[in-house]
Amino acid sequence: MTKIMKRIHFFVLLILGTAFFSCQNDKQDTAVKEDQNKIDSSLSIGGTLIIGELEMPRSICPGLIEDVHSMHVSSQIFEGLVAYDPKDLSIKPLLAEKWEISEDGLIYTFHLRKGVRFHDDNCFAEGTGREVKAQDVLYSFKRIANSQLGDYAYNSTIKGIIKGADEYFQMSLKEDVSNKEISGIKVLDDYTIQFELTHPSKNFLNILANTNLGIVAKEAVETYGNDNKIGTGPFKYASLKGNNVVLVKNEKYWAKDKEGNALPYLDSLVFRIVENKRSELEDFKNGKIDIIFSVPAENVKEFIESDIKKFEEKPPQFVINRVPALASQYYEFNLTKDIFKKKEVRQALNYAIDRNKIIEEVLKGAAYGPAIHGFIPTVPQFKDLDLESINGYTFDPDKAKKLLAKAGYPDGKGFPTLKLVLNSGAAKNTSVATEVQSQLYNNLGIMIELELVSFDKKIEISKYGKSDMVRSAWAADFPAPESFLLVFYGKNISPDLTKPAYPNSMRYVNSEFDKIYEQILAETDDAKRKELILKAEQMVIEDAPILYLWYDEILSIHNGKVFNFHINPINHLSFREVYKK
C-alpha cells in the first residue's frame, strides 16, 4: 500500500479491529473444532440471528439480483452448482458434488448430488419439494439467457462464454424460445450436465458461483414468476414483517457438517432494514441486532471508546471485522448529455476532486484508499497486477481549470448546473456529495444540485439516464479484474436510449476497449492477460466516463456470541454454519 493510502484518522481503529478480528477468528475456529464433537451439550443449536441491512432487497429471485442487499438474502435461499468458501473465496462444490474439465478447457462436466430437494411448497405435487435434476440446471440457464428476464444477469454471467447462449438470447428477442436449446449445454443424464465454452475461461467456476445463477424449479417460476422464492438453500423464505425479512431453517437441507450434524444450525435469520446507521448501532449495542455492516467511522470510533472493555474481554462481547473490498465508489457521468460529450469536461471534474480530503475529513479514514489508479481497486487480491503503474487522477486544480477552459468554459463561465442523484438513507453518501459539490464550485466554479431519492428510484434513474450524474458503487461479482472492466463494456448497451443500461449506466462505448475486453476473457496466458487488463484500464481512465472517488472496504461488527461468521472482499455471506453460543 502506498503512503497516500494510509488511513490516518482511523489508524488506531484499524489496529484494534485487526487484533479483535484475528484473535476472535482463532477462538472461533478452535471452538468449532472442540465443540462439534459434543454438539448436543456445548454448541447452541437453534436460535435467531438478526442482521442489519440499510435497504430492502429489490428482488431475491436469481436472474434479477442487482444489489448487495438482495444478494445477501437470496444466497441463503438459492444455491448454484458451486459456491465461494466465505473464509477465502475458494470455489467449493455445492449442488454439483464434483466436475471434470477437458484438457482444452472447453468442456465442463458436472455431477449433481443425489437427494437434494427444493423447498416444500404448494407449487409441487402434494406440497413436497421434489429432487433437483440436471433438467433444472438446464432450465435455469435457459431462463438467464432469455431476454424476457432482462439482460443484466445474462450480460454479467454467461454472455460470450457458453456456446450458443448468445444465439439463444438474440432469438428470444424475436420469438418464444421455450422449446429451443442452447447448443453448449447438454443434459447427459438426470445427475450429469455438460457445458461447452466458446473459449477457455479462467473465471468460469467463479461465474457459476454468482447468485444470479442459483438453480430454480420450473414449477416455482410458473407459479410465482419473478417473485419466486423457492430454492434448495439452508433457509426458506418465511415472511416480510414490517421492516424484517424473515427466513427459517430448511429442515430437509441436504448438507451436514464434518461430524455429521445437520445444517444449518440456526432456526431462523432476520434481515432487519434500518432507517439509519446510528439507530442500527444503538440496536446492536442493546442486543436487538447481532451483525451490522458499513458503520460510519465516527460512530465506530465513539462506540469503541465508550465500550472498550466489551472489545477487550476474553472472549470479547463485540468483534470488529475489517477487510479491503473488491469495490469502487464513483459518480456516473451520463454520456448522452451534451455537457459530458467533451472528454475535457469529464477529465476536468476528475482533476478537481481532492480524494484524500474526502477520505480523511468526511469518511474519517473508513476507505481502503483514493481511486487514483483507476476503477480496479489496488487490493491484495490483485497484488500480481501492477495497478499502481496506472496513471489516474490526482488532485490538480490547475490542470482541471485548463481542461475546462479548453472545453469552452473558462472559470466555469457558461457551464450549466449539474444534477447529482444519490440514494437517501446513508448519511455518508450525502456528506460526500456535499464535499464534492463544494470542491467543484471552489475549484472550477461549477454548480451541483443534489437530489436524494430512494434506492429503488436511484437505480431506475441510473439505468434510464434520467440525470446528469448518479452516485454509484460497483462490487465485483467474482474476485477478478474482469468483473470491474465489465462495467465499461459497450456492446451490452442498446442504441435505443429508451432501453435500460446497467451496469454501464454511463452508456460508455469505445470499440477499441470492447475488443481488448473480449481478448482478456479469452486469454489464458497470465502475462498477456495482465498486460491487456492494464491497457484496458488506462484507456478507460483517459476517457473518464465516471468521476473516480475511492476504493471501498467492508467493516462489520458482530456479537461475540456469534461463531463461524466470516466477511470477505466480495461481501459474499453464508450463514449455514453460523451458530450462536
Side-chain angles (χ1 to χ4, degrees):
M1 186 188 304
T2 59
K3 290 182 179 179
I4 201 169
M5 294 176 68
K6 292 181 179 177
R7 279 87 77 195
I8 299 173
H9 294 298
F10 220 47
F11 187 67
V12 174
L13 176 58
L14 173 61
I15 296 175
L16 288 172
T18 303
F20 296 148
F21 179 43
S22 301
C23 294
Q24 183 64 5
N25 264 2
D26 290 342
K27 289 181 174 64
Q28 287 178 340
D29 291 342
T30 302
V32 171
K33 292 174 184 176
E34 292 177 350
D35 288 344
Q36 281 184 336
N37 288 326
K38 23 183 196 177
I39 195 166
D40 292 333
S41 60
S42 179
L43 182 61
S44 296
I45 298 298
T48 296
L49 187 74
I50 303 176
I51 305 106
E53 288 280 5
L54 192 58
E55 300 286 350
M56 185 70 69
R58 301 181 73 235
S59 174
I60 60 176
C61 185
L64 297 170
I65 299 163
E66 299 178 345
D67 62 279
V68 70
H69 313 289
S70 300
M71 179 185 72
H72 284 170
V73 178
S74 181
S75 58
Q76 316 311 317
I77 297 171
F78 295 93
E79 297 179 307
L81 293 172
V82 299
Y84 291 112
D85 186 317
K87 296 188 293 295
D88 59 12
L89 296 183
S90 60
I91 292 293
K92 63 180 183 180
L94 201 57
L95 295 184
E97 62 181 354
K98 61 181 179 178
W99 57 87
E100 297 94 35
I101 306 172
S102 63
E103 288 187 9
D104 60 7
L106 294 176
I107 306 294
Y108 285 68
T109 305
F110 292 88
H111 304 274
L112 303 187
R113 297 179 190 277
K114 295 181 180 179
V116 176
R117 309 186 75 87
F118 288 108
H119 300 158
D120 288 349
D121 188 82
N122 289 332
C123 67
F124 301 113
E126 299 181 359
T128 302
R130 62 167 175 79
E131 188 178 20
V132 178
K133 299 289 182 67
Q135 282 290 344
D136 295 308
V137 179
L138 175 61
Y139 173 79
S140 299
F141 276 77
K142 287 173 68 174
R143 179 173 168 271
I144 292 295
N146 192 325
S147 63
Q148 299 305 305
L149 189 68
D151 61 3
Y152 169 64
Y154 159 71
N155 287 339
S156 62
T157 56
I158 65 176
K159 180 179 180 179
I161 294 178
I162 296 178
K163 184 179 179 181
D166 294 357
E167 291 79 2
Y168 187 89
F169 181 86
Q170 292 301 318
M171 197 184 310
S172 73
L173 293 169
K174 305 171 184 176
E175 60 183 285
D176 180 7
V177 292
S178 56
N179 294 320
K180 306 292 184 180
E181 300 299 328
I182 297 176
S183 60
I185 307 180
K186 291 183 172 62
V187 172
L188 303 186
D189 58 45
D190 279 352
Y191 302 99
T192 312
I193 191 162
Q194 190 174 84
F195 294 86
E196 182 177 357
L197 309 190
T198 58
H199 54 75
S201 170
K202 294 181 70 68
N203 289 307
F204 186 57
L205 291 176
N206 284 326
I207 289 169
L208 292 182
N210 189 300
T211 310
N212 272 318
L213 293 182
I215 304 306
V216 299
K218 183 178 181 180
E219 298 95 320
V221 173
E222 289 180 343
T223 301
Y224 302 111
N226 292 338
D227 196 36
N228 171 36
K229 300 180 178 70
I230 310 302
T232 63
F235 295 94
K236 303 184 295 183
Y237 182 87
S239 64
L240 174 62
K241 294 182 178 179
N243 288 330
N244 295 329
V245 179
V246 182
L247 311 185
V248 296
K249 179 177 184 175
N250 175 11
E251 299 286 355
K252 298 180 180 180
Y253 189 55
W254 58 270
K256 299 182 184 300
D257 66 19
K258 293 180 180 179
E259 303 301 323
N261 301 300
L263 296 174
Y265 299 132
L266 295 165
D267 287 330
S268 59
L269 295 176
V270 175
F271 292 87
R272 177 167 295 172
I273 315 305
V274 297
E275 292 184 1
N276 58 70
K277 302 306 289 185
R278 181 170 285 277
S279 63
E280 180 188 49
L281 188 58
E282 286 302 312
D283 282 348
F284 175 82
K285 291 168 68 174
N286 294 327
K288 297 178 181 179
I289 295 179
D290 296 304
I291 302 172
I292 57 177
F293 298 95
S294 303
V295 184
E298 62 271 21
N299 297 144
V300 176
K301 186 174 185 293
E302 175 188 330
F303 178 31
I304 288 181
E305 289 173 349
S306 63
D307 289 289
I308 189 67
K309 290 183 180 180
K310 292 182 180 180
F311 290 93
E312 293 179 331
E313 291 176 0
K314 297 182 180 180
Q317 290 188 43
F318 300 143
V319 182
I320 291 179
N321 307 302
R322 190 178 191 183
V323 298
L326 292 184
S328 287
Q329 296 275 347
Y330 62 104
Y331 291 164
E332 303 168 359
F333 293 144
N334 184 345
L335 302 187
T336 68
K337 300 284 187 178
D338 288 340
I339 192 62
F340 287 125
K341 289 182 178 178
K342 289 186 178 181
K343 180 169 63 176
E344 291 82 5
V345 168
R346 307 192 299 266
Q347 292 175 333
L349 267 63
N350 269 289
Y351 278 119
I353 298 300
D354 186 344
R355 295 162 181 82
N356 288 312
K357 182 180 180 183
I358 291 173
I359 291 174
E360 293 170 13
E361 297 184 10
V362 181
L363 300 178
K364 307 299 182 184
Y368 188 65
I372 59 174
H373 295 296
F375 194 60
I376 303 170
T378 53
V379 293
Q381 283 76 14
F382 301 150
K383 63 183 179 181
D384 294 333
L385 194 61
D386 187 15
L387 291 169
E388 293 191 4
S389 68
I390 295 287
N391 295 314
Y393 293 99
T394 54
F395 180 47
D396 194 333
D398 290 336
K399 185 178 288 188
K401 290 176 182 177
K402 290 177 182 177
L403 284 165
L404 196 63
K406 184 178 179 181
Y409 304 100
D411 298 319
K413 293 177 181 178
F415 200 94
T417 298
L418 299 175
K419 180 181 287 187
L420 168 62
V421 170
L422 57 151
N423 51 294
S424 56
K428 176 182 73 173
N429 296 337
T430 307
S431 298
V432 170
T434 301
E435 177 62 26
V436 169
Q437 180 186 49
S438 175
Q439 290 190 22
L440 289 179
Y441 180 74
N442 291 334
N443 296 325
L444 292 177
I446 290 176
M447 297 286 290
I448 301 289
E449 175 187 324
L450 306 184
E451 181 180 0
L452 273 68
V453 299
S454 69
F455 184 70
D456 273 356
K457 188 173 181 180
K458 189 212 76 165
I459 294 292
E460 291 306 302
I461 288 173
S462 171
K463 290 166 69 172
Y464 288 93
K466 295 180 179 179
S467 184
D468 303 315
M469 300 166 64
V470 179
R471 187 212 74 83
S472 193
W474 182 252
D477 289 321
F478 53 91
E482 294 91 308
S483 187
F484 289 90
L485 297 178
L486 165 69
V487 173
F488 305 102
Y489 185 56
K491 290 186 179 180
N492 289 339
I493 302 299
S494 170
D496 183 353
L497 297 182
T498 66
K499 300 291 185 182
Y502 185 81
N504 188 348
S505 305
M506 304 79 63
R507 298 180 188 268
Y508 171 70
V509 178
N510 181 327
S511 59
E512 184 61 23
F513 171 86
D514 292 345
K515 180 180 177 181
I516 295 173
Y517 175 74
E518 290 167 356
Q519 290 174 341
I520 292 169
L521 296 182
E523 184 56 69
T524 56
D525 182 280
D526 281 343
K528 291 180 181 178
R529 183 169 152 272
K530 290 174 185 176
E531 182 180 339
L532 289 169
I533 289 171
L534 294 177
K535 184 177 181 181
E537 178 75 307
Q538 189 67 66
M539 187 176 294
V540 174
I541 289 174
E542 174 68 19
D543 285 341
I546 63 174
L547 183 66
Y548 298 86
L549 292 174
W550 71 89
Y551 305 130
D552 224 336
E553 66 175 6
I554 298 173
L555 186 150
S556 73
I557 306 177
H558 70 264
N559 191 301
K561 294 181 180 180
V562 175
F563 286 76
N564 266 9
F565 171 68
H566 303 278
I567 64 171
N568 49 68
I570 63 170
N571 219 337
H572 168 76
L573 301 181
S574 174
F575 295 105
R576 75 174 194 170
E577 295 185 49
V578 171
Y579 65 93
K580 296 174 72 173
K581 199 173 180 183

